[in-house]
Amino acid sequence: MAREDFVEDFPPAEEILKYIQESPTPVDKRDLARAFNLKGAQRRRLREVLAELQEQGKLEDKGKKKLAPPDRLPPVGVVEVADIDEDGELIARPANWHEEEVGPPPRIYLGAGTRSRAALAIGDRALAKLERVEDGVYEGKVIRRIGRSPRRVLGIYETTAQGGRLSPTDKRAKQDYVLKPEDAAGAAPGELVLAEVKGYHPRMGLRDVRVVERLGSLDNQRALSLIAIHEHGLRTAFPEEAVAEAEAAGAVGPKGREDLRPVPLVTIDGADARDFDDAVYAEPDADKKNPNGWRVLVAIADVAHYVHADSALDREARARGNSAYFPDRVVPMLPEALSNGWCSLRPDEERGCLAVWMTLDAEGKLLKWRFLRGLMRSAARLTYEQVQAAIDGAPDGTAAPLLDPVIRPLYGAFGALLANRRQRGTLELDVPERRIVIGADGNVAGVETRSRLDSHRVIEELMICANVAAASELERLRQPCMYRVHDEPDPEKVEALREVLDGVGVRLAKGQVIRPRTFQKVLDQAAQTPYYHMVSELVLRCQAQANYSPDNLGHFGLALQRYAHFTSPIRRYADLLVHRAMIRGLGLGEDGLSEAQAGRFKEIGEHISQTERAAAAAERDANDRMTAAFLSERVGEIFEARVNGVTRFGLFVTLDESGADGLVPISSLPDDFYVHDERRHCLVGRRWGRTFTLGEAVTVRLIEADATTGGLMMHLVEGPGEVADTREEPVYEGARPKRPAGGRKPDKLAPPKAKGRAAGEQTAGATEGAAARRTPQARRARIRRRR
């Protein structure tokens, strides 16, 4: 009997392998579970089968937990020239390779084929015959050139003695670009521009670019968020048709709606909130069968009333996927006429809403719920600080009259929900969030850690409860649901964590079913040791990334069987889809979910998961740049920090004061030869045995802060005021230094480029010497040397 037979209805390993082989891109376990509709024990068996296929050499991990056959690239494919190495050889990558999904692309050494004499330059695309040399390395023979894929670069226009330069804002960029005055489109030095790569500059060994869009001066630090917005491709301008639809919107009437205006609903948000899409109210349950229970009302802006399926507004909202929030601006999902107008639950103004009444028992269990379409009027716009001060005994004029009828009952319901959260055994990770304070002049005035108040948790728990009710109701109605799913941790990461824990005396038993409370017990044990920060970081890294899907995988972190986002349709498209499905399922109007959109849930889920990640990355990058701008005035100062990453090229550390992240290059560590121990997450000095470990507290001196890239460089301070490495900082003259893979500038200048090459040598390698260097034997020898 085959092993698959031990698990009921489990597909044969050959069928799983065939699916992966026929997939145009690498797949992960989640993709396979959906494709074969696997759940519970079947998913555990799937992990075993995939591990066996990898051991047999039939599958390879392509990064990001994506699996594919070892020879992923097809025999013939379209490639794009990405670089020229020191020997003048063309380096290509597969066209349309999604690095954020499947990891770094393979390296393709490209040579002219027998049927092509086309001279290729950076940015050119070609059809090529591909042959695998070793893992991640291919040889390519050009069949024919098929055009260009203009590459765009965001950077700062600068002028030097050698002429115009574009200094890229991407911290991973290794060199500048040549930007001639005639290609600058009138930009002034110091201006932020978006440029398109033209080709390779034979004399300077740099690439030529031309400006396609001017984005303004960086004199004001508010412009730093523009860099992140454009680098990550966030949409900033709304189509005229969408704006016209938003501006044509008006107030909703009472017809077909339940009157909630007598209920003293309130909004509770941050002091800097731009939109108010949820309002809350709670009261003790009068039903004697539910002693000490609660009734809770959560009302959400009725965005579906204004944004109809497949309208111009809907198409743009779907393309954006979500709003993005920066310290100085918002890139909204909906135009301001809606996001800050008719869909914002302003105090004392009538607004349409989609609401849910929920009944909780004394232990916070959700007993029943009822969804409705209503007409409400917010009693007050409160901040978290106001509400917390009120419950602590210091209410202000706005909160005082609401303390007994509204605020205290909300905390009562929160207490019950908190008890339910503890009973479920959720994972509680303390991840500090920093806040950038912008001054009146538009520059960064400070960086501080956001306070975490009970008032924040009140709203968080009420929203989670409403989200659970929404997912449960859509299942009851047999309607499509866009679930917010958080899968179980990767077993390989859990095993790696277990090995580290064994070394520090923290127990994580083998063979047990991993649940959130399992990790919580690990954190509780680690809290009694010096290794808590390291363990906390590793537990966080074990977790899967949450995303949107029409297939319910549950929410691991919250320990919930079903979960969907319902409470923020102003800023998340997923919530709008849930609203439409609810409206259709309950017959609450004609503006519910369309059949066409229901059929595209999988595709839409994948798309909005990607837009969410892009927005989060842009927000992080903007914060990094603004933090670097703030710290640029404090270069040379000493800070307390903690190691948050260990790599072969140095340590990444987080400053305690501001939460800023920076690099300590390995070259600046105390004199020794350091070996990167990946399993133990540390650097170990081979000669003296000095170690630097993930989570370790260190003292650093800030050496460099680059607001353009957001990069910070630091050196360790060994004793009082002493820097670990006392060598003088190099003075850079002429060429810009190369940056290591970690993204910060190193201590040494880049090696000089070879001079005197003709244009043909750079692109096609016409000389005999260059041709000799391009033979398969020579190429493979270079590959071995580079490894």
Side-chain angles (χ1 to χ4, degrees), residues 601-624:
F601 257 38
K602 181 178 176 60
E603 171 196 338
I604 295 173
E606 292 173 351
H607 168 72
I608 59 181
S609 295
Q610 289 299 323
T611 60
E612 178 189 41
R613 293 179 194 128
E619 291 165 355
R620 284 194 304 270
D621 285 356
N623 284 345
D624 286 346

Side-chain angles (χ1 to χ4, degrees), residues 320-387:
R320 295 181 179 224
N322 44 262
S323 298
Y325 294 86
F326 301 91
D328 60 324
R329 71 189 74 220
V330 176
V331 179
M333 187 181 79
L334 299 173
E336 188 173 351
L338 291 181
S339 61
N340 291 348
W342 293 112
C343 292
S344 187
L345 306 181
R346 297 173 177 173
D348 300 318
E349 295 185 15
E350 294 185 359
R351 291 288 186 268
C353 64
L354 194 61
V356 56
W357 275 107
M358 298 176 289
T359 301
L360 314 174
D361 68 12
E363 301 301 319
K365 181 180 179 181
L366 181 59
L367 300 178
K368 58 183 179 180
W369 57 85
R370 181 173 68 88
F371 284 86
L372 59 100
R373 222 165 183 177
L375 183 66
M376 61 160 287
R377 183 190 296 116
S378 172
R381 180 270 200 261
L382 301 174
T383 67
Y384 293 115
E385 292 75 16
Q386 273 181 300
V387 172

